[in-house]
Amino acid sequence: MQTPLEPWGVQAGLIAQLTWLLFGGGAAIFALVLGLLAFAVLAPARLRRAFASRRFVLLGGIAFPAVTLAVLLAHSMGISRALVLPETERPLRIEVIGRQYWWEVRYPDTGEGPGDMAVTANEIHLPVGREVELLLSSGDVIHSLWLPNLQGKLDMIPGRVNRMRLRADRPGTLRGQCTEFCGLQHALMAFWAVVQEPAEFDAWLARQQAPVPPPRTAEQARGMQVFGEAGCGACHAVRGTAWQGRLGPDLSRIGSRLSLGAGLHEVHRATLAGWIAGTQDIKPGNSMPAYGRTLSGEDLLALAAWLEALR
């Protein structure tokens, strides 16, 4: 569920608290205004004249709004401060780079360079109960990351790194979204946040750093060969191979991911084959060319089978 009203962590809890306070306060003031309106229309003239005094106007029209807004401002500033203050000195750092129209996710604490550190795409894996610092940047235009169950939105600006602190307090899967118009496929630029128990997260992280398994069938071996012959490695990286392209998503563990095309489809052989064959029909304007006329049907299915096996 993608909603700020169901917080999964302390930061989202503070935002939800402020939200309900504003909802409740706004409803109460709205009811008060309606009550005064009804009183002005229906009350006897003698009572209406009593409330038309200069003192009532000054107190109700100036002092009450000024004090109320000042208190709300002070409270909201306190919450804003709490959202950015660190809980620990050494949080888990995760780099998230917005691209048209997908998300590159790196774990810099696991290696010195892209070839060493764990890298994935369109998924952010988080350990339960540990503070995380997201290092947000952009590789092209302005994007904005919003994971409402855990934090508010924050822009991703080319040439700048913005920092977002969050902590998830229970395991599960959450949906996030780009909330800054970034081009033709902005609306189809989603991602998943997978919150795992610490031991499960550590095992996932170690798997991301390991070389991909060798092909298990003749069809998968042919698919791996097609990947090289078609030049896919110029844009995509596959860990443990000579293919280390950085223009497109890292495909090392694509078979285990929850979505294809930044939230468009589930990952399985059919969707992989369809994406490779007609990516511009599925998501027009993305940077990947379509291979439907370049690859034979047999090679296309073999390539999809190998990619599905990368888990």
Coordinates of all heavy atoms in Angstrom, one line a residue, residues 51-128:
F51 N -21.9 40.2 19.6 CA -20.7 39.6 18.9 C -20.1 40.4 17.8 O -19.2 40.0 17.2 CB -21.1 38.2 18.4 CG -21.1 37.1 19.5 CD1 -22.2 36.8 20.2 CD2 -19.9 36.4 19.7 CE1 -22.2 35.9 21.2 CE2 -19.9 35.4 20.7 CZ -21.1 35.1 21.5
A52 N -20.7 41.5 17.6 CA -20.2 42.4 16.5 C -19.3 43.5 17.1 O -18.9 44.5 16.4 CB -21.4 43.1 15.8
S53 N -18.9 43.4 18.3 CA -18.0 44.4 19.0 C -16.6 44.3 18.4 O -16.2 43.3 17.8 CB -18.0 44.1 20.5 OG -17.3 42.9 20.8
R54 N -15.9 45.4 18.6 CA -14.5 45.5 18.1 C -13.6 44.5 18.8 O -12.8 43.9 18.2 CB -14.0 46.9 18.4 CG -12.6 47.2 18.0 CD -12.2 48.6 18.4 NE -10.8 48.9 18.0 CZ -10.4 49.3 16.8 NH1 -11.3 49.5 15.9 NH2 -9.1 49.5 16.6
R55 N -13.9 44.3 20.1 CA -13.1 43.3 20.9 C -13.2 41.9 20.3 O -12.2 41.2 20.1 CB -13.5 43.3 22.3 CG -12.7 42.4 23.2 CD -13.3 42.4 24.6 NE -12.5 41.5 25.5 CZ -12.8 41.3 26.8 NH1 -13.9 42.0 27.3 NH2 -12.1 40.5 27.5
F56 N -14.4 41.5 19.9 CA -14.6 40.1 19.4 C -13.9 40.0 18.0 O -13.3 38.9 17.8 CB -16.1 39.9 19.2 CG -16.4 38.5 18.7 CD1 -16.4 37.4 19.5 CD2 -16.7 38.3 17.4 CE1 -16.7 36.1 19.0 CE2 -17.0 37.0 16.9 CZ -17.0 36.0 17.7
V57 N -14.0 41.0 17.2 CA -13.3 41.0 15.9 C -11.8 40.9 16.1 O -11.1 40.1 15.4 CB -13.7 42.2 15.1 CG1 -12.9 42.3 13.8 CG2 -15.2 42.2 14.7
L58 N -11.2 41.6 17.0 CA -9.8 41.6 17.2 C -9.3 40.2 17.7 O -8.3 39.7 17.3 CB -9.4 42.7 18.2 CG -9.5 44.1 17.6 CD1 -9.1 45.1 18.7 CD2 -8.6 44.3 16.4
L59 N -10.1 39.7 18.7 CA -9.7 38.4 19.3 C -10.0 37.3 18.3 O -9.1 36.4 18.1 CB -10.5 38.2 20.6 CG -10.1 39.1 21.8 CD1 -11.0 38.8 23.0 CD2 -8.7 38.8 22.2
G60 N -11.1 37.2 17.7 CA -11.5 36.1 16.9 C -10.9 36.2 15.5 O -10.6 35.2 14.8
G61 N -10.7 37.4 15.0 CA -10.3 37.6 13.6 C -8.8 37.7 13.4 O -8.3 37.5 12.3
I62 N -8.1 38.2 14.5 CA -6.7 38.4 14.4 C -5.9 37.6 15.4 O -5.0 36.8 15.0 CB -6.4 39.9 14.6 CG1 -7.1 40.8 13.5 CG2 -4.9 40.2 14.6 CD1 -6.8 42.3 13.7
A63 N -6.2 37.7 16.7 CA -5.4 37.0 17.7 C -5.5 35.5 17.6 O -4.5 34.8 17.6 CB -5.9 37.5 19.1
F64 N -6.7 34.9 17.4 CA -6.9 33.5 17.3 C -6.2 32.9 16.1 O -5.4 31.9 16.3 CB -8.4 33.1 17.3 CG -8.6 31.7 17.1 CD1 -8.4 30.8 18.1 CD2 -9.1 31.2 15.8 CE1 -8.6 29.4 17.9 CE2 -9.3 29.9 15.6 CZ -9.1 29.0 16.6
P65 N -6.3 33.4 14.9 CA -5.6 32.8 13.8 C -4.1 33.0 13.9 O -3.3 32.1 13.6 CB -6.1 33.6 12.6 CG -7.4 34.2 13.0 CD -7.3 34.4 14.4
A66 N -3.6 34.1 14.4 CA -2.2 34.4 14.6 C -1.6 33.4 15.6 O -0.5 32.8 15.3 CB -1.9 35.8 15.0
V67 N -2.2 33.2 16.7 CA -1.7 32.3 17.7 C -1.7 30.8 17.2 O -0.7 30.0 17.3 CB -2.4 32.4 19.0 CG1 -2.0 31.3 20.0 CG2 -2.2 33.8 19.6
T68 N -2.8 30.4 16.6 CA -3.0 29.1 16.1 C -1.9 28.8 15.0 O -1.3 27.7 15.0 CB -4.4 28.9 15.5 OG1 -5.4 29.1 16.5 CG2 -4.5 27.5 14.9
L69 N -1.7 29.7 14.0 CA -0.8 29.4 13.0 C 0.7 29.4 13.5 O 1.5 28.7 13.1 CB -0.9 30.5 11.9 CG -2.2 30.4 11.1 CD1 -2.3 31.6 10.1 CD2 -2.3 29.1 10.3
A70 N 1.0 30.3 14.5 CA 2.3 30.3 15.1 C 2.6 29.0 15.8 O 3.7 28.4 15.7 CB 2.4 31.5 16.1
V71 N 1.6 28.4 16.6 CA 1.8 27.2 17.2 C 2.0 26.0 16.2 O 2.9 25.2 16.4 CB 0.6 26.9 18.2 CG1 0.7 25.4 18.7 CG2 0.6 27.9 19.3
L72 N 1.2 26.0 15.2 CA 1.4 25.0 14.1 C 2.7 25.1 13.4 O 3.4 24.1 13.1 CB 0.2 25.1 13.1 CG -1.1 24.6 13.6 CD1 -2.2 24.9 12.5 CD2 -1.1 23.1 13.9
L73 N 3.2 26.3 13.2 CA 4.5 26.5 12.5 C 5.6 26.0 13.4 O 6.5 25.3 12.9 CB 4.7 28.0 12.2 CG 6.0 28.4 11.6 CD1 6.2 27.7 10.3 CD2 6.2 29.9 11.5
A74 N 5.6 26.3 14.7 CA 6.6 25.8 15.6 C 6.6 24.3 15.7 O 7.7 23.7 15.7 CB 6.4 26.5 17.0
H75 N 5.4 23.7 15.7 CA 5.3 22.3 15.8 C 5.8 21.6 14.5 O 6.6 20.6 14.6 CB 3.9 21.9 16.1 CG 3.7 20.4 16.2 ND1 4.2 19.7 17.2 CD2 3.0 19.5 15.4 CE1 3.9 18.4 17.1 NE2 3.2 18.3 16.0
S76 N 5.5 22.2 13.4 CA 5.9 21.6 12.1 C 7.4 21.7 11.9 O 8.1 20.9 11.3 CB 5.1 22.2 11.0 OG 5.4 23.6 10.8
M77 N 8.0 22.9 12.4 CA 9.4 23.0 12.3 C 10.2 22.0 13.1 O 11.2 21.6 12.8 CB 9.8 24.5 12.6 CG 9.3 25.5 11.6 SD 9.8 27.2 12.0 CE 11.6 27.1 11.9
G78 N 9.6 21.8 14.3 CA 10.2 20.7 15.2 C 10.2 19.4 14.5 O 11.2 18.6 14.6
I79 N 9.1 19.0 13.8 CA 9.0 17.8 13.1 C 10.0 17.7 11.9 O 10.7 16.7 11.7 CB 7.6 17.5 12.6 CG1 6.7 17.2 13.8 CG2 7.5 16.4 11.6 CD1 5.2 16.9 13.5
S80 N 10.1 18.9 11.2 CA 11.0 18.9 10.1 C 12.5 18.7 10.6 O 13.2 18.0 9.9 CB 10.9 20.3 9.4 OG 9.6 20.5 8.8
R81 N 12.8 19.3 11.7 CA 14.1 19.1 12.2 C 14.4 17.6 12.6 O 15.4 17.0 12.3 CB 14.3 20.0 13.5 CG 15.7 19.8 14.1 CD 15.8 20.8 15.3 NE 17.0 20.6 16.1 CZ 18.2 21.0 15.7 NH1 18.4 21.7 14.6 NH2 19.3 20.8 16.4
A82 N 13.3 17.0 13.2 CA 13.5 15.6 13.6 C 13.6 14.7 12.4 O 14.3 13.6 12.5 CB 12.3 15.1 14.5
L83 N 13.1 15.0 11.3 CA 13.1 14.2 10.1 C 14.5 14.1 9.5 O 14.9 13.2 8.8 CB 12.2 14.7 9.0 CG 10.7 14.5 9.3 CD1 9.8 15.2 8.2 CD2 10.3 13.1 9.5
V84 N 15.4 15.1 9.7 CA 16.7 15.2 9.1 C 17.8 14.9 10.1 O 18.9 14.6 9.7 CB 16.9 16.5 8.4 CG1 15.9 16.8 7.3 CG2 16.9 17.7 9.4
L85 N 17.5 14.9 11.4 CA 18.6 14.7 12.4 C 18.9 13.2 12.4 O 18.1 12.3 12.4 CB 18.1 15.1 13.8 CG 18.1 16.6 14.0 CD1 17.6 16.9 15.5 CD2 19.5 17.2 13.8
P86 N 20.2 12.9 12.4 CA 20.6 11.4 12.4 C 20.3 10.8 13.7 O 20.4 11.4 14.8 CB 22.1 11.5 12.1 CG 22.5 12.8 12.6 CD 21.4 13.8 12.4
E87 N 19.9 9.5 13.7 CA 19.7 8.7 14.9 C 21.0 8.1 15.3 O 21.3 7.9 16.5 CB 18.7 7.7 14.7 CG 17.3 8.2 14.4 CD 16.3 7.1 14.2 OE1 16.6 5.9 14.3 OE2 15.1 7.4 13.8
T88 N 21.9 7.7 14.3 CA 23.2 7.1 14.6 C 24.2 7.8 13.8 O 23.9 8.4 12.8 CB 23.1 5.6 14.2 OG1 22.8 5.4 12.8 CG2 22.0 4.9 15.0
E89 N 25.5 7.6 14.1 CA 26.6 8.2 13.4 C 26.9 7.4 12.1 O 27.5 8.0 11.2 CB 27.8 8.3 14.3 CG 27.6 9.2 15.5 CD 28.9 9.3 16.3 OE1 29.9 8.6 16.0 OE2 28.9 10.1 17.3
R90 N 26.6 6.1 12.1 CA 27.0 5.3 10.9 C 25.8 4.6 10.4 O 25.6 3.4 10.7 CB 28.1 4.3 11.3 CG 29.4 5.0 11.6 CD 30.5 3.9 11.9 NE 30.7 3.1 10.7 CZ 31.5 3.4 9.7 NH1 32.1 4.6 9.7 NH2 31.6 2.6 8.7
P91 N 24.9 5.3 9.7 CA 23.8 4.6 9.1 C 24.2 3.8 7.9 O 25.4 3.9 7.3 CB 22.9 5.7 8.6 CG 23.9 6.8 8.3 CD 25.0 6.7 9.3
L92 N 23.4 2.9 7.4 CA 23.6 2.2 6.1 C 23.4 3.2 5.0 O 22.4 3.8 4.9 CB 22.6 1.0 6.0 CG 22.7 0.3 4.6 CD1 24.0 -0.4 4.4 CD2 21.5 -0.7 4.5
R93 N 24.4 3.3 4.1 CA 24.3 4.3 3.0 C 23.9 3.5 1.8 O 24.4 2.5 1.4 CB 25.7 5.0 2.8 CG 26.2 5.8 3.9 CD 27.4 6.5 3.5 NE 28.5 5.6 3.1 CZ 29.5 5.8 2.3 NH1 29.6 7.0 1.7 NH2 30.3 4.9 1.9
I94 N 22.9 4.2 1.1 CA 22.4 3.6 -0.2 C 22.3 4.7 -1.2 O 21.7 5.8 -0.9 CB 21.0 2.9 0.0 CG1 21.1 1.8 1.0 CG2 20.6 2.4 -1.4 CD1 19.7 1.2 1.3
E95 N 23.0 4.6 -2.3 CA 22.9 5.6 -3.4 C 21.8 5.3 -4.3 O 21.7 4.1 -4.8 CB 24.2 5.6 -4.2 CG 25.5 6.1 -3.4 CD 26.7 6.0 -4.2 OE1 26.7 5.6 -5.4 OE2 27.8 6.4 -3.7
V96 N 20.9 6.3 -4.6 CA 19.8 6.1 -5.5 C 20.0 7.2 -6.6 O 20.0 8.3 -6.3 CB 18.5 6.2 -4.8 CG1 17.3 5.9 -5.8 CG2 18.4 5.2 -3.7
I97 N 20.1 6.7 -7.8 CA 20.3 7.6 -8.9 C 19.1 7.6 -9.9 O 18.7 6.5 -10.3 CB 21.6 7.3 -9.7 CG1 22.8 7.3 -8.8 CG2 21.8 8.3 -10.9 CD1 24.0 6.7 -9.5
G98 N 18.4 8.7 -10.0 CA 17.2 8.7 -10.9 C 17.7 8.9 -12.4 O 18.5 9.7 -12.7
R99 N 17.1 8.1 -13.2 CA 17.4 8.1 -14.6 C 16.1 8.0 -15.4 O 15.0 7.6 -14.9 CB 18.3 7.0 -15.1 CG 19.6 6.9 -14.3 CD 20.6 6.0 -14.9 NE 21.8 5.8 -14.0 CZ 22.9 6.6 -14.1 NH1 22.8 7.7 -14.9 NH2 23.9 6.4 -13.3
Q100 N 16.1 8.4 -16.7 CA 14.9 8.3 -17.5 C 14.8 6.9 -18.1 O 15.6 6.6 -19.0 CB 14.9 9.4 -18.6 CG 14.8 10.8 -18.1 CD 14.9 11.8 -19.3 OE1 15.9 11.8 -20.0 NE2 14.0 12.7 -19.4
Y101 N 13.9 6.0 -17.7 CA 12.9 6.2 -16.6 C 13.0 5.0 -15.7 O 12.2 4.1 -15.7 CB 11.5 6.4 -17.2 CG 11.4 7.5 -18.2 CD1 11.6 7.3 -19.6 CD2 11.2 8.8 -17.8 CE1 11.5 8.3 -20.5 CE2 11.1 9.8 -18.7 CZ 11.3 9.6 -20.0 OH 11.3 10.6 -20.9
W102 N 14.1 5.0 -14.9 CA 14.4 3.9 -14.0 C 15.2 4.4 -12.9 O 15.7 5.5 -12.8 CB 15.0 2.7 -14.7 CG 16.3 3.0 -15.4 CD1 16.5 3.7 -16.6 CD2 17.6 2.6 -14.9 NE1 17.8 3.8 -16.9 CE2 18.6 3.1 -15.9 CE3 18.1 1.9 -13.8 CZ2 19.9 2.9 -15.8 CZ3 19.5 1.8 -13.7 CH2 20.4 2.3 -14.7
W103 N 15.5 3.5 -11.9 CA 16.2 3.8 -10.7 C 17.5 2.9 -10.6 O 17.4 1.7 -10.6 CB 15.4 3.7 -9.5 CG 14.1 4.3 -9.5 CD1 12.9 3.8 -10.0 CD2 13.7 5.6 -9.0 NE1 11.9 4.7 -9.9 CE2 12.3 5.8 -9.3 CE3 14.4 6.6 -8.4 CZ2 11.7 7.0 -8.9 CZ3 13.8 7.8 -8.0 CH2 12.4 8.0 -8.3
E104 N 18.6 3.5 -10.5 CA 19.8 2.8 -10.2 C 20.1 2.8 -8.7 O 20.1 3.9 -8.1 CB 21.0 3.3 -10.9 CG 22.3 2.5 -10.7 CD 23.5 3.0 -11.5 OE1 23.3 4.0 -12.3 OE2 24.6 2.3 -11.5
V105 N 20.3 1.7 -8.0 CA 20.5 1.6 -6.6 C 21.8 0.9 -6.3 O 22.1 -0.2 -6.7 CB 19.4 0.8 -6.0 CG1 19.5 0.8 -4.4 CG2 18.0 1.4 -6.4
R106 N 22.7 1.7 -5.5 CA 24.0 1.2 -5.2 C 24.2 1.1 -3.7 O 23.6 1.9 -3.0 CB 25.1 2.1 -5.8 CG 25.1 2.2 -7.3 CD 26.1 3.2 -7.8 NE 26.2 3.4 -9.2 CZ 27.0 4.2 -9.8 NH1 27.8 5.0 -9.1 NH2 27.0 4.3 -11.1
Y107 N 25.0 0.2 -3.2 CA 25.3 0.0 -1.8 C 26.8 0.3 -1.6 O 27.7 -0.6 -1.7 CB 24.9 -1.4 -1.3 CG 23.4 -1.6 -1.3 CD1 22.8 -1.8 -2.5 CD2 22.7 -1.5 -0.1 CE1 21.4 -2.0 -2.5 CE2 21.3 -1.6 -0.1 CZ 20.7 -1.9 -1.3 OH 19.3 -2.0 -1.3
P108 N 27.2 1.6 -1.5 CA 28.7 1.9 -1.5 C 29.5 1.3 -0.4 O 30.7 1.2 -0.5 CB 28.6 3.5 -1.4 CG 27.3 3.8 -0.8 CD 26.4 2.8 -1.3
D109 N 28.8 1.0 0.7 CA 29.6 0.4 1.8 C 30.1 -1.0 1.5 O 30.8 -1.6 2.3 CB 28.7 0.4 3.1 CG 28.4 1.8 3.6 OD1 29.2 2.7 3.3 OD2 27.4 2.0 4.3
T110 N 29.6 -1.6 0.4 CA 30.0 -3.0 0.1 C 31.2 -3.0 -0.9 O 31.5 -4.1 -1.3 CB 28.8 -3.7 -0.5 OG1 28.4 -3.1 -1.7 CG2 27.6 -3.8 0.5
G111 N 31.7 -1.9 -1.4 CA 32.8 -1.9 -2.3 C 33.3 -0.6 -2.7 O 32.6 0.4 -2.4
E112 N 34.4 -0.5 -3.3 CA 35.0 0.8 -3.6 C 34.5 1.4 -4.9 O 34.6 2.6 -5.1 CB 36.5 0.7 -3.6 CG 37.2 0.3 -2.3 CD 38.7 0.3 -2.3 OE1 39.2 0.5 -3.5 OE2 39.3 0.0 -1.3
G113 N 34.1 0.6 -5.8 CA 33.6 1.1 -7.1 C 32.4 0.3 -7.6 O 32.0 -0.7 -7.0
P114 N 31.7 0.7 -8.7 CA 30.6 0.0 -9.2 C 30.8 -1.5 -9.5 O 29.9 -2.3 -9.4 CB 30.2 0.8 -10.5 CG 30.8 2.1 -10.3 CD 32.1 1.9 -9.5
G115 N 32.0 -1.8 -9.9 CA 32.3 -3.2 -10.1 C 32.4 -4.1 -8.9 O 32.4 -5.3 -8.9
D116 N 32.6 -3.4 -7.7 CA 32.8 -4.2 -6.4 C 31.5 -4.1 -5.6 O 31.1 -5.1 -5.0 CB 33.9 -3.6 -5.6 CG 35.3 -3.6 -6.4 OD1 35.5 -4.6 -7.0 OD2 36.0 -2.7 -6.3
M117 N 30.9 -2.9 -5.6 CA 29.7 -2.8 -4.7 C 28.5 -3.5 -5.2 O 28.4 -3.8 -6.4 CB 29.4 -1.3 -4.5 CG 28.9 -0.6 -5.7 SD 28.5 1.2 -5.4 CE 30.1 1.9 -5.1
A118 N 27.5 -3.8 -4.4 CA 26.3 -4.4 -4.8 C 25.5 -3.3 -5.5 O 25.4 -2.2 -5.1 CB 25.5 -4.9 -3.6
V119 N 24.9 -3.7 -6.7 CA 24.2 -2.7 -7.5 C 22.9 -3.4 -8.0 O 22.9 -4.6 -8.4 CB 25.0 -2.3 -8.7 CG1 24.2 -1.3 -9.6 CG2 26.3 -1.6 -8.3
T120 N 21.8 -2.8 -7.9 CA 20.5 -3.3 -8.4 C 19.8 -2.2 -9.1 O 20.3 -1.1 -9.3 CB 19.7 -4.0 -7.3 OG1 18.6 -4.6 -7.9 CG2 19.3 -2.9 -6.3
A121 N 18.5 -2.4 -9.5 CA 17.8 -1.4 -10.2 C 16.3 -1.6 -9.9 O 15.8 -2.7 -9.7 CB 17.9 -1.6 -11.7
N122 N 15.7 -0.4 -9.6 CA 14.2 -0.4 -9.4 C 13.8 -1.1 -8.1 O 12.6 -1.3 -8.0 CB 13.4 -0.9 -10.6 CG 13.8 -0.2 -11.9 OD1 13.9 1.1 -11.9 ND2 13.9 -0.9 -13.0
E123 N 14.7 -1.4 -7.3 CA 14.4 -1.9 -5.9 C 15.4 -1.4 -4.9 O 16.6 -1.3 -5.2 CB 14.5 -3.5 -6.0 CG 13.4 -4.2 -6.6 CD 13.5 -5.7 -6.5 OE1 14.3 -6.2 -5.7 OE2 12.8 -6.4 -7.3
I124 N 14.9 -1.1 -3.8 CA 15.7 -0.6 -2.6 C 15.5 -1.6 -1.5 O 14.4 -1.7 -1.0 CB 15.4 0.8 -2.2 CG1 15.5 1.8 -3.3 CG2 16.3 1.2 -1.0 CD1 15.1 3.2 -3.0
H125 N 16.5 -2.4 -1.2 CA 16.4 -3.4 -0.1 C 16.9 -2.7 1.2 O 17.9 -2.1 1.2 CB 17.2 -4.6 -0.4 CG 16.5 -5.5 -1.4 ND1 16.0 -6.8 -1.1 CD2 16.2 -5.3 -2.7 CE1 15.5 -7.3 -2.2 NE2 15.6 -6.4 -3.2
L126 N 16.1 -2.9 2.3 CA 16.4 -2.2 3.6 C 16.3 -3.2 4.7 O 15.5 -4.1 4.7 CB 15.4 -1.1 3.8 CG 15.1 -0.1 2.7 CD1 13.9 0.8 3.1 CD2 16.4 0.8 2.6
P127 N 17.2 -3.1 5.7 CA 17.1 -4.0 6.9 C 16.1 -3.4 7.9 O 16.1 -2.2 8.1 CB 18.5 -4.1 7.4 CG 19.1 -2.7 7.0 CD 18.4 -2.3 5.7
V128 N 15.4 -4.3 8.5 CA 14.5 -3.8 9.6 C 15.2 -3.2 10.8 O 16.2 -3.8 11.2 CB 13.6 -5.0 10.1 CG1 12.8 -4.6 11.3 CG2 12.7 -5.5 9.0

